[in-house]
Amino acid sequence: MTKDINQVTPYNSEATKKSQVEDMFDNIAPKYDLLNHVLSMKIDVLWRNNLVKWMKKDNPQEVLDVATGTGDLAIAIEKGTASKVIGLDLSQQMLNVGVIKIKKLKLDGKISMQKGDAENLPFEDNRFDAVSVAFGVRNFENLTKGLSELRRVVKDNKSVYILEFSKVEGFLGPLYMFYFKNILPAIGRLVSKDNRAYTYLPDSVNAFPFGEKMRQILLDTGFKKVEYKKQSLGIATIYKATK
């Protein structure tokens, strides 16, 4: 029986999911970018760019990127839309890597990074022209609360963009899951030295709702319209939820 996504945690300890997620990303931060691009064969760059192209149609001036990590999506949004971007993340170590990256690109005047909790966003209602999350909503301790917060801080008639792993269906499904459950965690453990982080990834993806189920959850959260686009045979999905 598949667990509820809120019950899937990185370390299976007594600590809250939020605390475990923070510890996990602090642990793997130095190797995160390397592993991310190696394990995805850089196809994650394409997915982020597709999200930015979709967002660009809204002509946003100020964007909040939640679970920004080391800032890859925040950087892509700034380059693709010329908007001001605030990147927010639970892990200070991930943010530290991102700050260095942004300074090297001379984007520190356009992208600001801050530590914060996606489920208790430190921003007023209806503040942003767009809100984004790439590979972060799976890690929310309370999915409904986190999605409600994203909706709260985006302006009326504007959208939240979510990029998240889903499941490959059809004849390629078993092959993909074998890679995801066996090969990916082995490489992750070898490079990051964190035995659990890259086992948590397939576990959390397996438990996460996708496609029509995720669309319905977003509608139930109060968004008036939800569209989605599958990426790379369904390995990932981009959701656009309009307030």
Side-chain angles (χ1 to χ4, degrees):
M1 185 177 174
T2 303
K3 281 186 178 180
D4 182 273
I5 185 59
N6 296 333
Q7 299 172 324
V8 178
T9 57
Y11 299 116
N12 297 324
S13 72
E14 293 301 312
T16 63
K17 178 174 180 176
K18 194 172 296 181
S19 176
Q20 291 183 53
V21 165
E22 182 177 0
D23 287 346
M24 178 185 72
F25 281 111
D26 279 346
N27 290 340
I28 65 175
K31 302 288 186 182
Y32 179 80
D33 281 343
L34 170 67
L35 272 168
N36 206 24
H37 296 320
V38 167
L39 294 172
S40 69
M41 292 171 282
K42 283 204 170 182
I43 202 165
D44 59 309
V45 175
L46 172 66
W47 299 337
R48 287 187 182 88
N49 287 340
N50 287 343
L51 184 156
V52 173
K53 285 177 189 172
W54 204 0
M55 181 188 287
K56 189 177 181 180
K57 294 176 183 178
D58 292 347
N59 191 30
Q61 304 302 302
E62 186 178 33
V63 178
L64 173 65
D65 183 40
V66 174
T68 195
T70 62
D72 278 352
L73 182 55
I75 291 165
I77 289 170
E78 194 286 325
K79 287 183 174 180
T81 68
S83 57
K84 179 184 175 186
V85 184
I86 297 174
L88 179 137
D89 201 275
L90 200 58
S91 166
Q92 187 60 54
Q93 296 304 318
M94 293 283 278
L95 289 168
N96 292 346
V97 175
V99 166
I100 292 168
K101 204 156 53 173
I102 289 163
K103 282 182 178 175
K104 281 183 180 176
L105 293 168
K106 296 182 169 56
L107 294 174
D108 39 322
K110 298 174 181 178
I111 302 172
S112 60
M113 303 283 266
Q114 69 182 75
K115 183 173 166 59
D117 179 2
E119 292 165 53
N120 296 282
L121 292 171
F123 306 106
E124 64 271 24
D125 297 357
N126 307 304
R127 158 96 181 252
F128 296 97
D129 301 305
V131 175
S132 61
V133 191
F135 310 115
V137 291
R138 279 178 301 109
N139 301 321
F140 289 175
E141 187 167 80
N142 184 313
L143 178 60
T144 302
K145 187 178 179 186
L147 294 176
S148 296
E149 276 291 270
L150 303 182
R151 182 183 176 278
R152 179 181 67 78
V153 300
V154 78
K155 292 176 180 175
D156 287 339
N157 300 311
K158 299 296 185 180
S159 302
V160 172
Y161 292 82
I162 296 169
L163 169 59
E164 191 52 83
F165 286 113
S166 42
K167 292 180 192 170
V168 177
E169 298 176 298
F171 72 97
L172 286 174
L175 185 66
Y176 170 71
M177 283 312 296
F178 178 82
Y179 168 78
F180 217 51
K181 289 186 75 70
N182 297 283
I183 297 170
L184 184 149
I187 298 169
R189 282 193 295 272
L190 189 68
V191 178
S192 74
K193 309 301 182 191
D194 188 313
N195 288 331
R196 179 60 190 159
Y198 288 88
T199 306
Y200 165 73
L201 176 58
D203 288 351
S204 61
V205 170
N206 198 43
F208 193 74
F210 66 98
E212 282 300 310
K213 284 186 179 178
M214 183 61 175
R215 178 177 175 273
Q216 191 58 54
I217 288 169
L218 287 161
L219 288 170
D220 291 345
T221 304
F223 290 98
K224 66 181 181 182
K225 182 181 179 185
V226 180
E227 307 160 77
Y228 63 90
K229 296 178 180 179
K230 291 182 180 181
Q231 305 293 302
S232 304
L233 302 174
I235 296 175
T237 303
I238 302 170
Y239 303 87
K240 177 184 179 182
T242 304
K243 182 173 174 180

